[in-house]
Amino acid sequence: MNEKILIVDDEREIADLVEVYLKNDGYQVLKFYDAVSALACVDESEPDLALLDVMLPDMDGFVLCQRIRENHLFPIIILTARVEDMDKIMGLTLGADDYITKPFNPLELLARVKTQLRRYTRYNQSVPAKEALEFDIRGLSISKDSHRCTLNGSEVFLTPLEFDILWYLCVHRGAVVSSEEVFEAVWGEKYLDSNNTVMAHIARLREKLHEPARRPKFIKTVWGVGYTIE
């Protein structure tokens, strides 16, 4: 196991504790207490996953997440003491893949890290030619073998989670799938009633596909039921 994990947290005790657990599990750790240093590190040595605190001394963690997403697709997990749903949704909408509220169990954090890394590794592996699949829906093309998505010929850069959600909707084209079904299929975890994760990622997908809020062309909401691509 040689994956590099970036930790950005100005609470040194937490950063140091997380570092110990990650190193004990065989990961390389890149640890910083401020956002500017972390950004420089990302550009020089791309990590395989980032753990970002929200309350940083020099930059809001949500802004840091957004800056990273401009050029990188590796998984991002937000560490936050904020428990309000809107804060969580904001982080996911800006490109985070998951969030963990403080205080957290380090073993749960490790489990979340492994889940995101498995998905990212699968996303970057090529699929044998016989399994290659592709959908082309009114100018939206998505290919399973190359893990590429284009819209009217222009590439749409999706995170592994965004790709998996869009692919799942395309595979079930014409059917309405619930947030619960999408979450359990993509995340592989039990869905909770208060979970807004799918909604936040759908919003992010729509933004990347230049979907008008009231009349989306691709991902449509069936109120009270779920989402569909027709």
Side-chain angles (χ1 to χ4, degrees):
M1 185 183 299
N2 296 309
E3 290 97 334
K4 292 179 290 187
I5 311 296
L6 173 68
I7 302 172
V8 190
D9 197 323
D10 66 332
E11 294 186 69
R12 293 174 180 260
E13 290 184 0
I14 292 179
D16 294 347
L17 176 64
V18 172
E19 178 184 26
V20 168
Y21 273 86
L22 289 171
K23 284 187 172 180
N24 285 344
D25 217 48
Y27 296 104
Q28 298 180 50
V29 174
L30 308 169
K31 182 177 63 175
F32 297 93
Y33 304 119
D34 65 274
V36 172
S37 300
L39 275 175
C41 171
V42 167
D43 291 335
E44 294 174 3
S45 176
E46 176 148 339
D48 296 287
L49 181 144
L51 299 169
L52 309 181
D53 184 32
V54 171
M55 304 297 289
L56 296 170
D58 56 344
M59 185 185 299
D60 188 287
F62 294 139
V63 176
L64 174 58
C65 175
Q66 192 172 27
R67 292 278 298 276
I68 291 175
R69 273 289 172 259
E70 290 174 359
N71 298 300
H72 305 277
L73 294 176
F74 57 77
I76 297 175
I77 299 176
I78 296 288
L79 306 178
T80 176
R82 302 176 180 177
V83 296
E84 293 82 1
D85 284 344
M86 286 310 300
D87 288 321
K88 298 172 184 177
I89 292 171
M90 180 184 296
L92 295 170
T93 302
L94 292 175
D97 297 280
D98 200 358
Y99 59 82
I100 297 180
T101 54
K102 298 179 180 180
F104 53 80
N105 184 327
L107 295 179
E108 179 189 356
L109 176 62
L110 278 176
R112 298 285 188 94
V113 166
K114 291 176 181 178
T115 296
Q116 293 299 331
L117 286 174
R118 279 197 302 270
R119 180 176 292 112
Y120 187 59
T121 300
R122 186 177 73 241
Y123 175 84
N124 283 286
Q125 287 177 339
S126 59
V127 177
K130 66 179 181 179
E131 298 180 17
L133 293 169
E134 183 172 334
F135 290 97
D136 193 336
I137 304 171
R138 299 185 299 279
L140 173 65
S141 297
I142 182 169
S143 171
K144 186 70 170 179
D145 59 347
S146 65
H147 283 276
R148 292 184 67 227
C149 176
T150 60
L151 180 60
N152 299 323
S154 299
E155 186 158 6
V156 181
F157 294 97
L158 303 178
T159 67
L161 270 175
E162 291 164 353
F163 183 94
D164 285 351
I165 292 170
L166 184 58
W167 181 259
Y168 189 82
L169 291 173
C170 288
V171 167
H172 295 82
R173 182 182 179 186
V176 180
V177 293
S178 66
S179 292
E180 177 180 359
E181 182 181 342
V182 174
F183 185 87
E184 293 185 357
V186 174
W187 275 262
E189 300 175 9
K190 185 66 178 175
Y191 181 85
L192 301 176
D193 290 340
S194 60
N195 196 322
N196 293 306
T197 304
V198 173
M199 181 180 68
H201 280 85
I202 292 289
R204 178 76 172 173
L205 266 172
R206 284 173 169 161
E207 180 182 344
K208 290 187 175 184
L209 297 176
H210 309 296
E211 293 262 63
R214 295 187 178 276
R215 297 177 63 86
K217 181 180 178 181
F218 301 108
I219 304 174
K220 298 184 179 181
T221 300
V222 180
W223 295 108
V225 184
Y227 302 98
T228 185
I229 290 183
E230 298 176 343

